[in-house]
């Protein structure tokens, strides 16, 4: 399975494994497993939907913020869009995502 190591504080990293990966192997939370890690040679960020790419086209600060995001964040954004039941809901979500990314970029700029 592919996963991303996340910061866990004090220079440590955390590896999160999803239960849908563990359960087929008859594993559960609390079980011990042996893990082998390999550095990915290519990004495993999913391709962004065309409507989101189009909305980000004129918001370079929001685009830069998304570029900093982890693959799991990309995955959550894409899932959120795909779960929209109507085109209007999807467009509203695209607008919200772009706006939130722009806010995060502005907040980052203020801290620097």
């Amino acid at each position: 399975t592919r996963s991303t190591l996340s910061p866990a504080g004090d220079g440590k990293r955390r590896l999160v494994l999803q239960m849908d990966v563990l359960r087929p192997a008859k594993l559960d939370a609390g079980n011990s497993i042996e893990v082998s890690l390999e550095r990915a040679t290519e990004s495993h960020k999913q391709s962004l939907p065309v409507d989101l790419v189009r909305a980000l086209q004129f918001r370079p600060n929001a685009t830069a913020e998304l570029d900093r995001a982890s693959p799991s964040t990309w995955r959550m954004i894409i899932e959120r869009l795909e779960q929209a039941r109507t085109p209007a809901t999807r467009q509203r979500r695209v607008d919200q995502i772009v706006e939130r990314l722009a806010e995060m970029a502005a907040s980052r700029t203020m801290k620097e």
Side-chain angles (χ1 to χ4, degrees), residues 22-34:
L22 298 174
R23 286 207 175 105
K26 296 187 179 7
L27 295 168
D28 205 343
N31 290 127
S32 294
I33 61 171
E34 186 175 320

Side-chain angles (χ1 to χ4, degrees), residues 13 20 30 33 40 44 56 65 75-76 86 88-89 91 95 97 101 103 105:
R13 299 286 182 181
D20 61 341
I33 61 171
H44 58 278
L56 289 167
E65 191 65 30
R75 190 171 47 253
M76 286 188 296
T86 67
T89 299
Q91 184 58 51
D95 295 341
I97 289 166
L101 289 167
E103 289 169 5

Side-chain angles (χ1 to χ4, degrees), residues 45-68:
K45 289 181 178 177
Q46 294 175 284
S47 297
L48 294 174
V50 174
D51 51 352
L52 181 57
V53 171
R54 203 173 314 122
L56 289 167
Q57 185 176 4
F58 299 107
R59 302 291 295 268
N61 56 345
T63 303
E65 191 65 30
L66 183 58
D67 286 342
R68 281 193 220 38

Side-chain angles (χ1 to χ4, degrees), residues 34-49:
E34 186 175 320
V35 176
S36 173
L37 300 176
E38 293 179 22
R39 180 178 292 273
T41 56
E42 58 191 47
S43 174
H44 58 278
K45 289 181 178 177
Q46 294 175 284
S47 297
L48 294 174

Side-chain angles (χ1 to χ4, degrees), residues 4-15:
T4 303
L5 293 175
S6 304
D10 295 327
K12 296 179 183 177
R13 299 286 182 181
R14 174 179 297 128
L15 175 65

